[in-house]
Structure formats: structure tokens, C-alpha cells
Amino acid sequence: MGFTGFMEVIQTIKQMREAASKVRAAGKSIAFVPTMGAFHGGHIRLMQKAKTLGDITVVSSFVNPKQFNEKEDLNRYPRDPERDRLKAEKAGVDYYFEPAVEEIYPPGFLTTVNVSYLSSKLEGASRPGHFRGVTTVVLKFLNIVSPNTLVMGYKDAQQFTIIHQMIEDLALDVHLVGVPTARERDGLAMSSRNVLLSPEDRDKALSLNRALKRVHFLVKKQGILHTGELLQAVRSAINSSGAELDYAEIVNRTTLEPVDHVMRGGTYVLVAARVGGVRLIDSTRI
Ligand code: PAF
């Protein structure tokens, strides 16, 4: 079990706990990146950020069944464990935690963790139970890995807000760090689901980023702060592309409550749409 060089792949909770205890006993800090595998450039950035924040980087790869409310979505979720392991090793990850579903949810598993209210809005309204699955598994991983720092992407802005709230509410001893959304050259937010898009769908998918860029333009160049007007622009950019808009909201970034006017720095624009049967989300902070 070395601290540098090769990545160690761990499948059991017991071994992961032991590895983490050894790291801490050696006076070293742990930065942790939870993932569901299917790595893209955004995941690699999270790993690279984690490497700057802790002595040891732990990445978990676990397609969490409890956060999928549609079985079909779970079944078609892209998986390529071998490629993922190679990518993580190349990114300099020290420990790669890749438990089986029964390891995390053994028969008789009954507990759920729910950050009420925040979890029922937006994505939560479209995907009931999704965030309960996310917070349950993230808390379990935090208990297993006991990291000093938890590194997550801002792309899933609501998820980030909910995890932040859970950490505050439960006084978890971990520092949450956010990493800006990684984008493809054409501006599409990197997502494991992008591989499911046909070339035509991809064009429609780009409307999400176009809509967010339009908001930045309207706020910064035209001084429009009224969210009604901004949302109209977002909806028309997405609807006119042929993507099926699920929601577009401009909200306070802590409470996720809709706001009438943009408060610079404290506001999220969140969009979700379906393109060729693939659900995509994107967000920006203004
Ligand atoms: O963002 C994700 O990939 C997942 O929701 C997470 C945080 C790894 C929990 O399964």
C-alpha cells in the first residue's frame, strides 16, 4: 500500500477504511472525489483539483442505483470500468474505491438521508427520490473514507447546494470544494450522458449552453437583472432548438428559491432538457 506511484483499487469498505486510517495515522490529508465512473474531462479536473488539496487522493466509482428513479436510465448509464481505472491512475489517484452494489447496500439496508425541501425542487421535482439517493450514498462514502476535503463539480449546482446543506446540518467534519463546469470545445457541458447523443441531438443539446451564455450577455452587457425577462430568453433559446425543456429557473444559490432579480454572485441559472431521450442539465452562476 504505497502513498505514491501506483493506484490501489479497493472493493471493500473494510479495506477502504483501513487504507484511510493508515493515511491519517501517517499525518496525511485526504481529498475525496465521489463519482459514478464513465469519466470525461470534468472528472479528471475534479481529480486534478483534489490532488492540489490533499496529500492523498481517493476517488470512488459507484453507479448508485438509489439515485436513479427510472430503471431504464440506470441500465443505459454508460460504464467502462477498465478505461476509468486507467484514466484515474493517469490522473494520479492514490486509492480507487470501486465497491459492488451489495457492499454499499447489503440486504436489509434501511437508512436514507434526506435534505428536505431543497431536494424536492427542480431536479428533485422531475426525479423524485434522486437527491435522497445522492445524499445517502455521499454520507456513507464520507463515513468510509473520512476525507478532509470533498471535491465536487458545480455543474450539478443543486446537488452541490444540497451536499453543502447536509454538511452544515449534520456538522460533518469535511471541507467542500467546488470545481467549475468543464465544457467541450463547442460549449456543451461535459457529462457522462453526452455519449448517448446522436450528432443531430448534440446540436439541440448545445442550446442549453447558448441559453446560459445569453443570460450572461443580457446581464453584463445590457444590465437586465429582471429574471422574468432573462427566463424568457432562456426558454426561447432552448425551445427553438427542438430540445424539450423541462425547467429553467433563476434561483438564490443557497435557498434555491426563485428570485425576481439577479443578485450578482449569489444567483444560479439552472436548466434541464430532454434531447433524444437523454436528460441533460446545465447551470451557471451570475
Ligand atoms: O455527481 C455524481 O456523479 C453523483 O451524484 C455522486 C455525487 C457521485 C453520488 O453518487
Side-chain angles (χ1 to χ4, degrees):
M1 223 184 277
F3 284 161
T4 51
F6 299 107
M7 181 178 85
E8 186 170 342
V9 178
I10 295 181
Q11 259 121 12
T12 67
I13 294 175
K14 186 169 177 287
Q15 283 173 332
M16 187 63 248
R17 269 194 207 290
E18 281 168 8
S21 308
K22 280 190 188 161
V23 171
R24 276 192 311 274
K28 293 183 188 268
S29 62
I30 300 177
F32 172 54
V33 184
T35 79
M36 297 209 298
F39 295 152
H40 51 66
H43 292 110
I44 306 303
R45 277 205 211 162
L46 297 180
M47 295 175 204
Q48 285 165 345
K49 181 73 183 177
K51 283 191 70 66
T52 69
L53 295 169
D55 300 314
I56 292 293
T57 304
V58 178
V59 168
S60 64
S61 174
F62 180 68
V63 182
N64 175 29
K66 288 204 188 291
Q67 69 186 78
F68 287 82
N69 50 333
E70 287 171 22
K71 203 157 175 78
E72 198 195 325
D73 192 25
L74 171 62
N75 291 341
R76 75 195 286 225
Y77 197 81
R79 290 161 217 247
D80 196 343
E82 246 164 69
R83 177 181 151 276
D84 283 349
R85 273 182 229 121
L86 287 172
K87 286 196 165 201
E89 181 152 37
K90 205 165 156 210
V93 170
D94 299 288
Y95 294 103
Y96 191 72
F97 184 39
E98 196 187 27
V101 172
E102 311 74 57
E103 181 72 8
I104 298 301
Y105 302 122
F109 186 96
L110 290 176
T111 303
T112 56
V113 182
N114 189 39
V115 176
S116 61
Y117 184 65
L118 295 181
S119 295
S120 59
K121 301 157 143 306
L122 302 153
E123 277 300 286
S126 300
R127 304 174 68 192
H130 167 68
F131 287 117
R132 196 173 49 228
V134 171
T135 40
T136 300
V137 84
V138 170
L139 182 58
K140 185 153 187 173
F141 280 132
L142 291 175
N143 282 330
I144 297 166
V145 177
S146 2
N148 305 75
T149 308
L150 171 65
V151 184
M152 297 185 76
Y154 281 131
K155 178 185 154 241
D156 296 312
Q158 184 177 6
Q159 170 172 281
F160 192 87
T161 297
I162 289 170
I163 297 289
H164 181 258
Q165 181 79 34
M166 176 178 80
I167 290 172
E168 291 290 309
D169 286 353
L170 300 182
L172 302 180
D173 192 12
V174 67
H175 177 55
L176 176 64
V177 172
V179 176
T181 305
R183 295 186 181 277
E184 310 277 1
R185 264 165 204 268
D186 57 9
L188 186 65
M190 287 190 186
S191 160
S192 305
R193 290 188 163 88
N194 290 354
V195 295
L196 303 171
L197 294 170
S198 70
E200 275 161 58
D201 290 340
R202 195 176 169 99
D203 202 50
K204 294 179 188 167
L206 283 173
S207 66
L208 276 71
N209 180 42
R210 267 202 300 271
L212 299 179
K213 283 198 350 214
R214 179 90 190 128
V215 173
H216 276 281
F217 173 81
L218 293 174
V219 171
K220 289 193 183 135
K221 301 277 184 229
Q222 299 199 357
I224 297 174
L225 297 178
H226 185 250
T227 52
E229 216 170 315
L230 298 171
L231 282 173
Q232 221 171 359
V234 170
R235 291 189 181 116
S236 99
I238 296 178
N239 286 331
S240 65
S241 76
E244 284 167 57
L245 181 65
D246 182 356
Y247 62 77
E249 295 279 357
I250 301 183
V251 300
N252 174 293
R253 93 181 166 101
T254 313
T255 63
L256 301 180
E257 276 296 305
V259 289
D260 288 339
H261 285 86
V262 165
M263 275 192 0
R264 299 236 187 145
T267 311
Y268 277 146
V269 186
L270 306 170
V271 290
R274 235 168 225 283
V275 178
V278 181
R279 200 184 144 75
L280 298 172
I281 59 170
D282 205 345
S283 62
T284 192
R285 184 169 155 183
I286 31 174

CSV table of all heavy atoms in Angstrom, one decimal, residues 34-36 43 60 62 64 67 77 130 134 137-138 141 152 156 159, ligand 1:
chain,number,residue,atom,x,y,z
A,34,PRO,N,-16.2,11.8,-5.2
A,34,PRO,CA,-17.1,10.7,-5.4
A,34,PRO,C,-17.6,10.8,-6.9
A,34,PRO,O,-17.8,11.9,-7.4
A,34,PRO,CB,-18.3,11.0,-4.5
A,34,PRO,CG,-18.2,12.5,-4.2
A,34,PRO,CD,-16.8,12.9,-4.5
A,35,THR,N,-17.7,9.7,-7.6
A,35,THR,CA,-18.1,9.7,-9.0
A,35,THR,C,-19.0,8.4,-9.2
A,35,THR,O,-19.0,7.5,-8.4
A,35,THR,CB,-16.9,9.6,-10.0
A,35,THR,OG1,-16.4,8.2,-10.0
A,35,THR,CG2,-15.7,10.5,-9.6
A,36,MET,N,-19.6,8.5,-10.4
A,36,MET,CA,-20.3,7.3,-10.9
A,36,MET,C,-19.6,6.7,-12.1
A,36,MET,O,-20.2,6.0,-13.0
A,36,MET,CB,-21.7,7.6,-11.2
A,36,MET,CG,-22.5,8.1,-10.0
A,36,MET,SD,-24.2,7.8,-10.1
A,36,MET,CE,-24.7,8.7,-11.5
A,43,HIS,N,-14.4,15.0,-14.9
A,43,HIS,CA,-14.0,14.1,-13.7
A,43,HIS,C,-12.5,14.3,-13.5
A,43,HIS,O,-12.0,14.3,-12.4
A,43,HIS,CB,-14.3,12.7,-14.0
A,43,HIS,CG,-15.7,12.3,-14.0
A,43,HIS,ND1,-16.4,12.0,-15.2
A,43,HIS,CD2,-16.7,12.3,-13.0
A,43,HIS,CE1,-17.7,11.7,-14.9
A,43,HIS,NE2,-17.9,11.9,-13.6
A,60,SER,N,-14.0,7.5,-5.6
A,60,SER,CA,-14.9,6.4,-5.6
A,60,SER,C,-15.6,6.3,-7.0
A,60,SER,O,-15.9,7.4,-7.6
A,60,SER,CB,-16.0,6.5,-4.5
A,60,SER,OG,-16.8,7.6,-4.7
A,62,PHE,N,-19.0,4.5,-8.3
A,62,PHE,CA,-20.1,3.6,-7.9
A,62,PHE,C,-21.4,4.2,-8.6
A,62,PHE,O,-21.8,5.3,-8.3
A,62,PHE,CB,-20.2,3.7,-6.4
A,62,PHE,CG,-21.4,2.9,-5.8
A,62,PHE,CD1,-21.3,1.5,-5.9
A,62,PHE,CD2,-22.5,3.5,-5.3
A,62,PHE,CE1,-22.4,0.8,-5.4
A,62,PHE,CE2,-23.5,2.8,-4.7
A,62,PHE,CZ,-23.5,1.4,-4.8
A,64,ASN,N,-24.7,4.5,-8.5
A,64,ASN,CA,-25.6,4.4,-7.3
A,64,ASN,C,-27.0,4.2,-7.7
A,64,ASN,O,-27.7,5.1,-8.1
A,64,ASN,CB,-25.5,5.7,-6.5
A,64,ASN,CG,-26.4,5.8,-5.3
A,64,ASN,OD1,-26.7,4.7,-4.7
A,64,ASN,ND2,-26.8,7.0,-4.9
A,67,GLN,N,-30.1,6.6,-6.7
A,67,GLN,CA,-30.4,7.9,-7.2
A,67,GLN,C,-31.0,7.9,-8.6
A,67,GLN,O,-31.2,9.0,-9.2
A,67,GLN,CB,-29.1,8.8,-7.2
A,67,GLN,CG,-28.0,8.4,-8.1
A,67,GLN,CD,-26.8,9.3,-7.8
A,67,GLN,OE1,-26.0,9.0,-6.9
A,67,GLN,NE2,-26.5,10.3,-8.6
A,77,TYR,N,-27.0,3.8,-18.3
A,77,TYR,CA,-25.9,4.6,-17.8
A,77,TYR,C,-24.6,4.1,-18.3
A,77,TYR,O,-24.3,2.9,-18.1
A,77,TYR,CB,-25.9,4.8,-16.3
A,77,TYR,CG,-25.1,6.0,-15.8
A,77,TYR,CD1,-25.7,7.2,-15.8
A,77,TYR,CD2,-23.8,5.8,-15.4
A,77,TYR,CE1,-24.9,8.3,-15.5
A,77,TYR,CE2,-23.0,6.9,-15.1
A,77,TYR,CZ,-23.6,8.2,-15.1
A,77,TYR,OH,-22.9,9.3,-14.7
A,130,HIS,N,-34.3,11.2,-6.2
A,130,HIS,CA,-33.0,11.3,-6.7
A,130,HIS,C,-32.0,11.8,-5.7
A,130,HIS,O,-31.0,11.2,-5.4
A,130,HIS,CB,-33.0,12.2,-8.0
A,130,HIS,CG,-31.6,12.6,-8.4
A,130,HIS,ND1,-30.7,11.7,-8.9
A,130,HIS,CD2,-30.9,13.8,-8.4
A,130,HIS,CE1,-29.6,12.3,-9.2
A,130,HIS,NE2,-29.7,13.6,-8.9
A,134,VAL,N,-28.6,10.4,-3.6
A,134,VAL,CA,-27.3,11.1,-3.6
A,134,VAL,C,-26.8,11.3,-2.2
A,134,VAL,O,-25.7,10.9,-1.9
A,134,VAL,CB,-27.4,12.4,-4.4
A,134,VAL,CG1,-26.1,13.2,-4.3
A,134,VAL,CG2,-27.7,12.2,-5.9
A,137,VAL,N,-25.8,8.1,-0.3
A,137,VAL,CA,-24.5,7.4,-0.7
A,137,VAL,C,-23.4,8.3,-0.4
A,137,VAL,O,-22.3,7.9,0.1
A,137,VAL,CB,-24.6,7.0,-2.2
A,137,VAL,CG1,-24.2,8.1,-3.1
A,137,VAL,CG2,-23.7,5.8,-2.4
A,138,VAL,N,-23.5,9.7,-0.5
A,138,VAL,CA,-22.4,10.5,-0.3
A,138,VAL,C,-22.0,10.5,1.2
A,138,VAL,O,-20.9,10.4,1.6
A,138,VAL,CB,-22.6,12.0,-0.8
A,138,VAL,CG1,-21.5,12.9,-0.2
A,138,VAL,CG2,-22.6,12.0,-2.3
A,141,PHE,N,-20.2,7.3,1.9
A,141,PHE,CA,-18.8,7.3,1.4
A,141,PHE,C,-18.0,8.2,2.4
A,141,PHE,O,-16.8,7.9,2.6
A,141,PHE,CB,-18.7,7.8,0.0
A,141,PHE,CG,-19.0,6.8,-1.0
A,141,PHE,CD1,-19.9,7.0,-2.0
A,141,PHE,CD2,-18.4,5.5,-0.9
A,141,PHE,CE1,-20.2,6.0,-3.0
A,141,PHE,CE2,-18.7,4.5,-1.9
A,141,PHE,CZ,-19.6,4.8,-2.9
A,152,MET,N,-16.3,18.4,-5.5
A,152,MET,CA,-17.5,18.1,-6.4
A,152,MET,C,-17.6,19.2,-7.4
A,152,MET,O,-17.2,20.3,-7.2
A,152,MET,CB,-18.8,18.0,-5.5
A,152,MET,CG,-18.7,16.8,-4.6
A,152,MET,SD,-20.2,16.6,-3.6
A,152,MET,CE,-21.2,15.8,-4.9
A,156,ASP,N,-23.6,20.2,-11.4
A,156,ASP,CA,-24.8,19.8,-10.7
A,156,ASP,C,-25.0,20.8,-9.5
A,156,ASP,O,-24.8,20.4,-8.4
A,156,ASP,CB,-24.7,18.4,-10.2
A,156,ASP,CG,-24.5,17.4,-11.4
A,156,ASP,OD1,-25.3,17.5,-12.3
A,156,ASP,OD2,-23.6,16.6,-11.3
A,159,GLN,N,-27.2,19.8,-6.6
A,159,GLN,CA,-26.6,18.7,-5.8
A,159,GLN,C,-25.5,19.4,-4.9
A,159,GLN,O,-25.4,19.0,-3.8
A,159,GLN,CB,-25.9,17.7,-6.8
A,159,GLN,CG,-25.0,16.8,-6.1
A,159,GLN,CD,-24.5,15.6,-7.0
A,159,GLN,OE1,-25.2,14.7,-7.3
A,159,GLN,NE2,-23.3,15.7,-7.5
B,1,PAF,O1,-22.5,13.6,-9.2
B,1,PAF,C1,-22.4,12.3,-9.2
B,1,PAF,O2,-21.7,11.8,-10.0
B,1,PAF,C2,-23.2,11.6,-8.2
B,1,PAF,O3,-24.4,12.2,-7.9
B,1,PAF,C3,-22.4,11.3,-6.9
B,1,PAF,C4,-22.1,12.6,-6.2
B,1,PAF,C5,-21.1,10.6,-7.2
B,1,PAF,C6,-23.2,10.4,-5.9
B,1,PAF,O4,-23.5,9.2,-6.5
